[in-house]
Amino acid sequence: MSILICLDPGHGGTDRGAIGLELMEKDVCLDICYRVERELQNYQGIQVTLTRSYDVDVTIQERVEWANSHKADLFLSIHTITRLKGFTSYVSVIAGSHDRRLQCWLHNQLAGALRSYGICDQGKRNDTETPNGLLYELRHTKMPAVTIAALNLSNPNEHQLAADYLFRSRYAKSIADGLARIYQCSMRGNERTGHVCT
């Protein structure tokens, strides 16, 4: 059985997202999504589609339509964090237990990996706890949907981490490994010992 992950790099084009000393959220998110996609190629049975592959304007509605039309198994939106420092994750306040379990598994995987960098865990949240009070994409996709947000680009220490390509690679690997564990997918070359995907 094959799993399709829809990665959504936050913002893009004229929507720059959060602005740091040198970095823009839209660029950081796209780079991380590319790295996650590459890491997931190491696992059997996982395919990836991206809502944007370069720096272009994509509306929230277009992102949702892309995920729905491709019949993705999971919609994962990547952002940096605002107002706070550290790391958090979101699901819709109306999300069911299955979506919340996915959020919990992925959140715990990433929180553990980021802790070694001194990135604090701000907890699992509902979209009503965002500045705008809801996340359209989490409510209108026809598959489980989670947003993860890490690193405040206006914080000097976290901006420095976001600028570090080695950190980005390790962060992306943590995301990919977490997704592979959720769907019980084995690494390529381990066909005899692991699941292809459940």
Side-chain angles (χ1 to χ4, degrees), residues 138-151:
L138 298 185
R139 298 186 180 212
H140 292 86
T141 51
K142 296 178 181 178
M143 72 288 303
V146 179
T147 291
I148 57 176
L151 304 175

Side-chain angles (χ1 to χ4, degrees), residues 80-153:
T80 62
I81 197 168
T82 56
R83 298 195 302 180
L84 305 169
K85 295 191 301 179
F87 164 73
T88 190
S89 65
Y90 298 93
V91 292
S92 168
V93 71
I94 59 175
S97 59
H98 179 64
D99 295 45
R100 293 183 183 279
R101 283 196 300 271
L102 289 174
Q103 176 196 25
C104 185
W105 292 332
L106 185 57
H107 183 104
N108 291 343
Q109 160 83 17
L110 296 179
L114 295 173
R115 192 176 299 120
S116 63
Y117 290 92
I119 299 172
C120 57
D121 181 359
Q122 296 290 350
K124 307 169 191 74
R125 296 169 179 259
N126 295 318
D127 63 343
T128 52
E129 299 174 87
T130 64
N132 295 329
L134 61 87
L135 293 173
Y136 179 94
E137 62 272 29
L138 298 185
R139 298 186 180 212
H140 292 86
T141 51
K142 296 178 181 178
M143 72 288 303
V146 179
T147 291
I148 57 176
L151 304 175
N152 186 329
L153 298 183

Side-chain angles (χ1 to χ4, degrees), residues 4-195:
L4 178 61
I5 307 293
C6 182
L7 296 177
D8 175 45
H11 309 282
T14 57
D15 177 8
R16 299 180 296 174
I19 307 297
L21 299 174
E22 300 172 351
L23 302 174
M24 293 184 285
E25 182 177 6
K26 65 173 185 174
D27 299 325
V28 173
C29 295
L30 183 59
D31 181 70
I32 290 170
C33 283
Y34 275 139
R35 292 170 190 268
V36 173
E37 181 183 29
R38 286 197 296 270
E39 289 292 338
L40 286 174
Q41 291 172 359
N42 294 319
Y43 289 95
Q44 302 173 67
I46 298 184
Q47 296 181 321
V48 175
T49 184
L50 279 77
T51 58
R52 67 179 180 95
S53 299
Y54 52 97
D55 186 19
V56 63
D57 286 292
V58 184
T59 68
I60 294 297
Q61 292 80 6
E62 288 170 334
R63 296 168 195 262
V64 169
E65 289 172 6
W66 181 266
N68 288 341
S69 67
H70 284 74
K71 298 181 180 179
D73 295 288
L74 175 69
F75 180 89
L76 182 62
S77 191
I78 308 292
H79 287 263
T80 62
I81 197 168
T82 56
R83 298 195 302 180
L84 305 169
K85 295 191 301 179
F87 164 73
T88 190
S89 65
Y90 298 93
V91 292
S92 168
V93 71
I94 59 175
S97 59
H98 179 64
D99 295 45
R100 293 183 183 279
R101 283 196 300 271
L102 289 174
Q103 176 196 25
C104 185
W105 292 332
L106 185 57
H107 183 104
N108 291 343
Q109 160 83 17
L110 296 179
L114 295 173
R115 192 176 299 120
S116 63
Y117 290 92
I119 299 172
C120 57
D121 181 359
Q122 296 290 350
K124 307 169 191 74
R125 296 169 179 259
N126 295 318
D127 63 343
T128 52
E129 299 174 87
T130 64
N132 295 329
L134 61 87
L135 293 173
Y136 179 94
E137 62 272 29
L138 298 185
R139 298 186 180 212
H140 292 86
T141 51
K142 296 178 181 178
M143 72 288 303
V146 179
T147 291
I148 57 176
L151 304 175
N152 186 329
L153 298 183
S154 63
N155 176 276
N157 292 333
E158 296 195 355
H159 185 281
Q160 185 176 4
L161 276 176
D164 184 339
Y165 290 120
L166 179 58
F167 170 81
R168 291 190 196 182
S169 292
R170 289 175 175 169
Y171 178 42
K173 187 176 188 306
S174 296
I175 296 171
D177 290 349
L179 293 172
R181 287 191 181 100
I182 286 171
Y183 293 106
Q184 299 180 21
C185 296
S186 61
M187 294 198 76
R188 295 187 185 280
N190 293 338
E191 291 88 345
R192 295 181 182 178
T193 59
H195 296 287

